[in-house]
Amino acid sequence: MKLYFAPSACSLASHIALREADLPFELIKVNNATKETAEGGDFRKVNPKGYVAALVLDNGQVLTEAPALLQYLADLKPETGLAPANGSWERVRLQEMLAFISSEIHTGGCSPLFNKSIPEEVKTFFRDKLNARLELIAATLGERDYLLGERFSVADALLFTILRWMGPLKVDLGRWPAFAGYLQRIEARPSVKAALEAEAAA
């Protein structure tokens, strides 16, 4: 498989999942500004949407969108416990959490804050909205080590990736003590260390 990524982008979640599952893959960097790949090609020919992550499977199929990618990778190695079993109530809860992180925290909260053309007063509105969503997540993490309970899942890989953006986006996570321990637990995982080191080296 080939994972097309940009350093610290949401593709980091899929990168972590690949390493957690100990799956073989090739890492290919994408320049987000030019859409040129490290191979010298046009990334939009891989993913016409123009954004990472994109996973090219061994059969040539291309898979995009974090909730789909993460569940697909988890199901390749179900014994890792990265996702609850398909058809279980716990799997539905995972899907619920992935949807919330992707739509409410990433797209609805963070994406506008990255847009340099949006006035600061408008960004204040989006920060307030984002803070309200983070409040809900912090309450969950105040009761358990990980989003679904006591075991790391692909939802944690996605949330961890997005929480790393909060500093540059001027969102203070310090108001929620639960996030500090949560981030430390995830940063200590060998898969996460390896993914971060590989992306930094690229």
Side-chain angles (χ1 to χ4, degrees), residues 103-184:
S103 63
E104 294 295 323
I105 297 180
H106 181 187
T107 305
C110 295
S111 291
L113 300 180
F114 281 115
N115 191 331
K116 295 179 181 178
S117 67
I118 294 179
E120 190 59 35
E121 59 269 24
V122 177
K123 289 186 177 181
T124 298
F125 166 81
F126 284 107
R127 281 196 189 92
D128 290 343
K129 179 181 177 182
L130 179 57
N131 285 334
R133 303 298 186 257
L134 291 172
E135 180 80 34
L136 295 172
I137 294 289
T140 296
L141 293 174
E143 299 174 351
R144 58 187 73 161
D145 284 346
Y146 298 102
L147 288 172
L148 299 185
E150 300 309 309
R151 187 165 187 166
F152 178 88
S153 74
V154 290
D156 296 296
L158 184 58
L159 180 62
F160 170 78
T161 296
I162 293 172
L163 289 179
R164 296 180 77 246
W165 304 341
M166 294 303 117
L169 295 180
K170 300 178 183 178
V171 175
D172 180 18
L173 291 180
R175 70 180 74 182
W176 301 290
F179 283 130
Y182 177 74
L183 289 169
Q184 288 174 0

Side-chain angles (χ1 to χ4, degrees), residues 53-95:
L55 184 70
V56 180
L57 308 182
D58 292 340
N59 63 6
Q61 292 286 331
V62 179
L63 187 59
T64 64
E65 304 303 329
L69 269 166
L70 291 169
Q71 291 181 84
Y72 173 78
L73 293 172
D75 287 338
L76 289 178
K77 285 282 189 77
E79 64 272 19
T80 62
L82 288 170
N86 266 313
S88 68
W89 174 246
E90 291 79 10
R91 183 57 169 257
V92 176
R93 285 300 193 194
L94 171 69
Q95 292 165 342

